[in-house]
Amino acid sequence: MKEAQLLQRIVVDPKVMAGKPVIRGTRLPVEYILKLLAHGATVEEILQEYSGLTHEDIQACLLFATRVLEKTDFMPLIASKE
């Protein structure tokens, strides 16, 4: 599946979850799926828990996060030496 098709699975609607990016047709925020993965949940476990999701939905969350980070500027924090 092409990246553009994957990204269409993620929507932002101010009326759904206060405008957080969610998987289309759900109230599952991208952030929540990423947290599940970060805490060790496997894709298969997530798909079993949320039967309406697909592998492509999980891929879309990862791609969305990647794109957001690509567009973010980071500035190193310098600790003060007092």
Side-chain angles (χ1 to χ4, degrees), residues 31-60:
E31 173 187 356
Y32 179 70
I33 298 299
L34 296 175
K35 281 183 184 180
L36 290 175
L37 292 167
H39 285 93
T42 66
V43 171
E44 292 305 320
E45 290 171 336
I46 295 169
L47 295 176
Q48 287 175 1
E49 185 69 25
Y50 301 97
S51 60
L53 294 186
T54 65
H55 283 277
E56 290 81 7
D57 291 328
I58 306 297
Q59 283 181 283

Side-chain angles (χ1 to χ4, degrees), residues 11-23:
V11 295
V12 176
D13 181 345
K15 297 176 186 173
V16 178
M17 299 301 292
K20 288 187 175 192
V22 298
I23 298 170

